[in-house]
Amino acid sequence: MTHWFHRNPLKATAPVSFSFYGVAASPAANKICNDLKAARARLLEMFTDPTCNPEIMKNATDSYFSLLQGFIVSLDGTTQENKMRFIQNFKWTDTLQGNTPSAQQDAVFELVSMTFNVGLWYSKFASRLAGKENITETEAKEVHKSLRIAAGIFKHLKDAHIPRLITPAEKGRDLELRVIDTYIIQCQAEAQEVTIARAIELKHNASLIGALAFETANFYKKADHTLNSLEPDYTSKWRKYFQLKQAFYMAYAYCYNGQMLLASDKCGEAVRSLREAEKYYTKAESLCKEYRQTKGPGSTAKPSEQLFFTKLGGLIKNTLEKCERENGFIYFQKVPQDPPDLELKASYGLVEPIAFEFPSVSPQCTPEVYATFDLTKNHKDDKAKPKQEEEVKPMKEPDLKTQKDTGCSIS
């Protein structure tokens, strides 16, 4: 399952020195600035370190965000904005917009942009782990959990922090509502894929698998629809991924619906359901080719080459042949012209994001130390105008090594 998931690139950022030249008027204030610089650099390194795991990532994020909160949360006992919030300029690229960054002189912009990358990292970690040969049950649970954490991070940013930005995100930027909604939906859908694979392996009943597949297809349909009003230049490839996944899981839903109908002696309807599954599977194969040929940001998934994909084709073919054979020998039922309605509603296995919270403010950021930051002193970036046309060097992400495909089976 090495290339099962589509992944957009990480956001890239310009270096930040946190050198406030006289503004930090005490040793403790200077230490906060130096620690911020070091913690930021370490966190950025972790995004591209192939040995990084969720525990290391959490330590790195807590270290940086607890200090950064000292520039956002009010520390003087008033309801006024933290005086340090707007002192530093930050530049970040967007996952769909190439290497030209957006810039804002706002610590909240830094907080949400860096945290967005943390969400991306969890989704990429899940993708790498899912690509392992002979993935264990514990690792499969970690994939599932990581995708739910990613969804929770994106949701928390959308609900609590992006609305605090002074400058709203431009159309198609990561912090714009349609884009971040799409990331939330994608992570939930992919986590449900893990649930489906587990349910199939444990041979759960067809009604549960069919319902989960139908719900997952609807997730992908919603993700595709969320992007339809954005520019195709940077969304077409991502949308093709959602479309092929929707068709794939509709094929699964109709396949297992056909099994349910056959078990209920509704063989004619079962035949029609399996033919619909066959139609959606063929559509998914075609969309896989279109997806590979579509230009756009992100790594190219190769779902049609995965055993989990090809096994469905065989399952549909064999089940359809069985239904047609039984209908010709036993049931003699008329095959409906229209496909059956999928009245499938999953009662179990539906994925919800894991709630995310930022760490509390670092103990270093006391009111006494805060008072020693003197904004009347000149700061070299105070009058600097952000040059948004300057490109930021993209992050070099680790390559995905192709592993032996075990068809999403868990050892």
Side-chain angles (χ1 to χ4, degrees):
M1 300 291 286
T2 308
H3 297 284
W4 183 251
F5 300 119
H6 173 94
R7 289 293 175 262
N8 289 326
L10 287 164
K11 295 166 72 67
T13 182
V16 178
S17 67
F18 293 103
S19 299
F20 295 136
Y21 300 105
V23 173
S26 70
N30 269 313
K31 185 175 189 312
I32 287 174
C33 296
N34 291 334
D35 288 352
L36 268 169
K37 179 181 178 180
R40 188 180 199 264
R42 171 166 169 72
L43 179 51
L44 290 172
E45 287 176 6
M46 292 302 100
F47 289 142
T48 57
D49 185 346
T51 66
C52 183
N53 60 39
E55 182 181 358
I56 295 171
M57 178 55 64
K58 187 175 190 316
N59 289 337
T61 54
D62 284 356
S63 176
Y64 182 54
F65 292 146
S66 65
L67 288 166
L68 187 63
Q69 296 261 65
F71 282 14
I72 297 171
V73 176
S74 177
L75 298 177
D76 59 4
T78 71
T79 57
Q80 293 182 336
E81 288 283 6
N82 188 307
K83 65 184 180 183
M84 299 297 290
R85 175 176 169 179
F86 303 108
I87 195 172
Q88 177 69 58
N89 189 53
F90 299 95
K91 292 182 180 181
W92 282 92
T93 63
D94 294 88
T95 56
L96 302 176
Q97 303 280 352
N99 300 327
T100 302
S102 300
Q104 291 192 34
Q105 196 150 319
D106 185 353
V108 172
F109 177 67
E110 166 73 357
L111 182 75
V112 295
S113 298
M114 186 70 83
T115 309
F116 196 100
N117 247 16
V118 176
L120 291 175
W121 180 87
Y122 273 100
S123 73
K124 288 171 181 282
F125 173 77
S127 180
R128 289 198 301 273
L129 191 56
K132 280 189 64 179
E133 184 179 341
N134 298 321
I135 185 171
T136 65
E137 181 178 344
T138 300
E139 289 168 334
K141 288 179 179 178
E142 191 68 52
V143 172
H144 189 261
K145 181 181 179 182
S146 294
L147 289 166
R148 291 177 64 212
I149 289 173
I153 288 172
F154 294 131
K155 187 176 188 302
H156 184 65
L157 291 179
K158 173 195 167 186
D159 293 344
H161 296 279
I162 291 175
R164 297 177 62 194
L165 290 171
I166 303 299
T167 306
E170 297 173 12
K171 180 180 178 181
R173 298 286 183 178
D174 289 334
L175 307 183
E176 198 244 346
L177 186 62
R178 287 167 291 187
V179 176
I180 200 161
D181 269 342
T182 304
Y183 277 109
I184 295 169
I185 298 164
Q186 179 179 357
C187 290
Q188 287 181 272
E190 290 176 347
Q192 269 184 208
E193 290 193 65
V194 179
T195 305
I196 292 168
R198 179 70 170 159
I200 291 170
E201 185 175 32
L202 294 181
K203 296 180 170 59
H204 281 287
N205 63 62
S207 62
L208 174 63
I209 297 170
L212 283 172
F214 186 51
E215 300 274 11
T216 304
N218 285 334
F219 263 136
Y220 281 119
K221 181 180 180 180
K222 184 178 178 182
D224 178 42
H225 179 74
T226 304
L227 292 177
N228 68 5
S229 57
L230 295 176
E231 295 299 326
D233 287 352
Y234 53 80
T235 60
S236 291
K237 190 176 187 69
W238 204 12
R239 290 190 64 191
K240 285 293 181 188
Y241 169 74
F242 295 143
Q243 290 162 13
L244 74 87
K245 283 292 185 78
Q246 182 202 353
F248 179 70
Y249 282 102
M250 285 299 290
Y252 250 118
Y254 273 110
C255 178
Y256 279 88
N257 186 62
Q259 292 183 20
M260 288 165 51
L261 291 168
L262 179 60
S264 302
D265 296 325
K266 298 177 180 178
C267 198
E269 292 180 47
V271 170
R272 186 62 186 87
S273 190
L274 267 298
R275 288 176 182 172
E276 195 69 10
E278 195 172 50
K279 185 185 85 172
Y280 271 107
Y281 185 77
T282 301
K283 182 179 179 181
E285 287 182 311
S286 176
L287 283 165
C288 283
K289 294 175 184 176
E290 291 178 26
Y291 165 75
R292 284 197 300 269
Q293 293 166 359
T294 302
K295 294 182 179 180
S299 60
T300 299
K302 302 174 183 176
S304 61
E305 298 177 10
Q306 308 299 321
L307 195 54
F308 187 62
F309 190 99
T310 56
K311 280 167 71 174
L312 175 59
L315 178 63
I316 292 170
K317 180 176 181 292
N318 294 336
T319 312
L320 176 58
E321 288 176 353
K322 177 183 177 181
C323 288
E324 289 176 331
R325 187 168 59 248
E326 296 299 305
N327 202 40
F329 276 98
I330 301 172
Y331 294 100
F332 304 103
Q333 295 174 358
K334 183 180 178 180
V335 177
Q337 185 175 352
D338 297 322
D341 292 331
L342 290 179
E343 297 177 355
L344 303 171
K345 189 71 178 174
S347 302
Y348 306 98
L350 294 176
V351 167
E352 290 294 331
I354 293 176
F356 174 80
E357 290 184 358
F358 285 108
S360 56
V361 179
S362 169
Q364 292 177 244
C365 303
T366 64
E368 293 76 21
V369 176
Y370 177 74
T372 66
F373 284 98
D374 185 358
L375 296 191
T376 63
K377 301 291 174 66
N378 191 27
H379 171 45
K380 70 171 186 177
D381 285 336
D382 277 347
K383 298 179 182 178
K385 294 182 180 179
K387 298 178 181 178
Q388 297 201 17
E389 71 279 1
E390 291 182 356
E391 290 198 348
V392 171
K393 187 177 179 182
M395 288 197 175
K396 184 170 176 54
E397 302 184 41
D399 294 328
L400 278 176
K401 295 181 179 178
T402 302
Q403 304 281 343
K404 181 181 177 182
D405 188 3
T406 56
C408 214
S409 62
I410 301 168
S411 57

